[in-house]
Amino acid sequence: MRRSGLRAAEIRLNAAAWELRRACLSLVVFAIAVGTIGFLFWASDRGFDITDEGYYLLVSKSPEDNSISLSSFYVITAGLFRLVGGNVRAFRLLGLTLTIGSALVLYAGLDRFMTSIGFTAASDRWRRAREASFVVIGGLSIYQWFLPTPAYNMLNMWATSCWAGCLLGGLTAQSNRWRTGCLLASGAAVTVSCLVKFPTGIILLAMTAPAVVMLGPTGLRSKSTVAVKISSGVLFGFTCFFLAGQSLRAWQDVLAQGSLLMGAITPSPSVALTRYREQFRELVYHQGLQAFRTLQIALVASGVIFGMGRWLRRGFVSRHSWSIIVVFGAAGWMSYRRPSWTGTLTDAFALTAQAYFAWILLLLVEIKGSPQWFCG
């Protein structure tokens, strides 16, 4: 009887320690997200790149003067620029807001999908705060702090995030109204991606088909209904663009001029293939493997710590706690020290790579934040 009482007390103590660790981890990730947003807000009126960022602002201010382009991003950014009255800082802050919003749309759809398949508990507030903050950090780590002015890369990121979130939410929504709205929005996001970066739009369309087949409702008729709603969203997006943004004739003229320019400067197919092959080899062997070496070391170290959990555990210090120490230590090291492998890269791309790796390490913490790890 006494032994069972001690066992029950130990279970309650472990549950309390688990809840405390989950709360602390959620607060840390949330604090990182808030700190990142605060820094970007503070820096929104500081610094200006006269090359890429200058071009983005010029075409947003006077889109009618841009007569050669393979992307229609400037038509969309011009509307956003007019919305804020031509204020550069407000334009950047609007981009920051839309980045956060698109990340939350992605998280909402992913959370709805994970809850529908029983992977997570719908009432887990710590998990929701942690995962939503993590997704926002990922969105802000891509282009927001590097080039804060909205442009084609940022628009493409917004469209991709909204496409994924709305598609997952639409395929798992219980209400027919929510399902229809999400699927239409998903199709409209594909339209934006096609107008901004055509290859990405094609990839999204190609990924939509297997997603509907595997995750959609059962029955050919139900799946066909989903496909029709997504297609309607695509057509609706194009219709709105050509009616409110740029006429079809003007879009064709600009695209034709851009195609002629690209045809004049693009080498022959054989030369292009040779160049792509050499650049791919350089990226994979000389930069990719060296760049990911740091991440590989962190993964191995984390795995060793999990394997040695019995010997490392002291009181409330579990394997997960030791893993957090290693992961955040590696992320901090990459944030404050320029690795040797970035010598061949520009400062901006080196910093971007470090930000990506720090974010990936945060992902490891999130993956290992499940109950079985906390209780181990």
Side-chain angles (χ1 to χ4, degrees):
M1 189 73 177
R2 182 179 180 183
R3 181 175 300 178
S4 62
L6 291 176
R7 179 60 180 169
E10 183 181 359
I11 292 175
R12 289 195 298 269
L13 196 59
N14 287 337
W18 171 38
E19 188 69 17
L20 178 62
R21 296 188 196 109
R22 294 173 67 240
C24 291
L25 177 59
S26 300
L27 291 175
V28 168
V29 179
F30 180 76
I32 294 175
V34 172
T36 304
I37 295 172
F39 171 79
L40 293 173
F41 180 85
W42 171 81
S44 59
D45 62 345
R46 290 167 170 80
F48 183 76
D49 175 25
I50 61 173
T51 56
D52 289 5
E53 195 171 18
Y55 168 70
Y56 300 154
L57 284 174
L58 285 175
V59 296
S60 298
K61 181 178 181 297
S62 305
E64 65 279 357
D65 294 335
N66 189 29
S67 59
I68 300 177
S69 178
L70 292 176
S71 172
S72 300
F73 80 93
Y74 61 93
V75 179
I76 302 174
T77 56
L80 298 177
F81 196 58
R82 288 193 298 268
L83 184 64
V84 297
N87 186 287
V88 175
R89 186 188 186 192
F91 191 39
R92 290 176 170 181
L93 290 177
L94 179 60
L96 174 64
T97 303
L98 292 176
T99 297
I100 298 172
S102 64
L104 292 177
V105 170
L106 172 60
Y107 168 71
L110 181 61
D111 178 69
R112 181 71 188 85
F113 171 73
M114 294 172 66
T115 303
S116 68
I117 63 176
F119 188 79
T120 57
S123 59
D124 192 344
R125 64 182 187 277
W126 292 121
R127 176 190 62 81
R128 288 178 179 274
R130 184 173 66 249
E131 292 178 354
S133 301
F134 169 77
V135 175
V136 169
I137 293 171
L140 296 175
S141 299
I142 300 179
Y143 296 106
Q144 195 67 48
W145 63 276
F146 178 49
L147 281 175
T149 297
Y152 56 90
N153 284 324
M154 202 177 293
L155 287 172
N156 200 43
M157 178 189 67
W158 298 341
T160 304
S161 298
C162 291
W163 165 81
C166 292
L167 182 62
L168 290 174
L171 293 177
T172 56
Q174 299 296 328
S175 168
N176 184 60
R177 180 180 300 178
W178 273 104
R179 183 184 305 111
T180 301
C182 288
L183 294 176
L184 289 174
S186 177
V190 172
T191 301
V192 174
S193 186
C194 288
L195 292 169
V196 173
K197 275 192 173 182
F198 187 75
T200 306
I202 297 301
I203 293 174
L204 295 186
L205 281 175
M207 294 175 64
T208 299
V212 172
V213 172
M214 293 185 296
L215 305 177
T218 58
L220 180 60
R221 183 176 180 179
S222 299
K223 293 183 186 297
S224 300
T225 302
V226 170
V228 169
K229 291 179 180 179
I230 296 175
S231 301
S232 300
V234 174
L235 295 176
F236 176 76
F238 276 113
T239 302
C240 290
F241 177 80
F242 290 128
L243 290 179
Q246 188 179 42
S247 67
L248 180 60
R249 180 62 181 273
W251 176 77
Q252 290 175 333
D253 292 341
V254 173
L255 186 63
Q257 293 296 326
S259 301
L260 289 175
L261 178 62
M262 291 300 297
I265 64 176
T266 301
S268 62
S270 59
V271 175
L273 288 175
T274 302
R275 184 179 300 174
Y276 292 154
R277 185 169 59 250
E278 293 175 352
Q279 291 178 351
F280 180 78
R281 186 185 301 112
E282 172 70 19
L283 176 65
V284 173
Y285 293 102
H286 295 175
Q287 294 182 6
L289 292 179
Q290 295 181 20
F292 279 94
R293 188 173 301 162
T294 305
L295 179 60
Q296 292 164 5
I297 293 174
L299 284 172
V300 172
S302 180
V304 170
I305 283 180
F306 269 77
M308 297 176 61
R310 293 182 180 178
W311 293 272
L312 292 175
R313 182 168 181 172
R314 296 292 185 271
F316 295 125
V317 181
S318 65
R319 291 175 293 177
H320 183 267
S321 302
W322 284 102
S323 180
I324 291 177
I325 294 173
V326 172
V327 167
F328 276 99
W333 177 80
M334 288 189 296
S335 299
Y336 289 101
R337 182 181 182 278
R338 180 186 174 96
S340 59
W341 52 264
T342 60
T344 57
L345 301 176
T346 63
D347 289 340
F349 283 107
L351 290 173
T352 303
Q354 293 181 60
Y356 276 140
F357 294 148
W359 185 71
I360 291 174
L361 290 175
L362 283 176
L363 174 61
L364 297 181
V365 175
E366 174 57 36
I367 292 175
K368 294 168 184 174
S370 54
Q372 61 267 31
W373 293 121
F374 277 106
C375 296

